[in-house]
Amino acid sequence: MSPVRAWEFDADAGRAWCGEDSEFGLAIAVWVGRVVTQRLHASRVRLLGLYAPYGSGDAAWPRPCEEQPWTAARTG
């Protein structure tokens, strides 16, 4: 287990900011996408560790978001 961080914000104002500034909107979308991807990957690996028969698959696939080839083009 790890500590949980949570932020609360006004959703209407956030959508308005994203609509006004497309770079800000993209940054928020990428950030949320990475968090969701990391959590889904961690859940998958945990479930494979608990329920998959030994040797049934590679628990490290797919690679975490930071290692995907298309992320280097956006962050570089």
Side-chain angles (χ1 to χ4, degrees):
M1 293 281 184
S2 63
V4 174
R5 292 182 291 175
W7 292 279
E8 182 179 346
F9 58 91
D10 181 5
D12 292 330
R15 280 191 294 274
W17 290 332
C18 290
E20 293 169 7
D21 185 352
S22 61
E23 286 185 34
F24 176 73
L26 177 62
I28 294 295
V30 168
W31 174 64
V32 170
R34 284 186 178 164
V35 170
V36 170
T37 300
Q38 290 168 355
R39 290 184 182 185
L40 287 172
H41 179 72
S43 296
R44 180 184 179 276
V45 169
R46 176 146 170 81
L47 288 170
L48 280 173
L50 291 172
Y51 299 111
Y54 180 75
S56 64
D58 181 8
W61 185 90
R63 295 176 291 182
C65 187
E66 303 84 43
E67 299 175 18
Q68 297 294 347
W70 58 82
T71 58
R74 290 188 186 256
T75 59

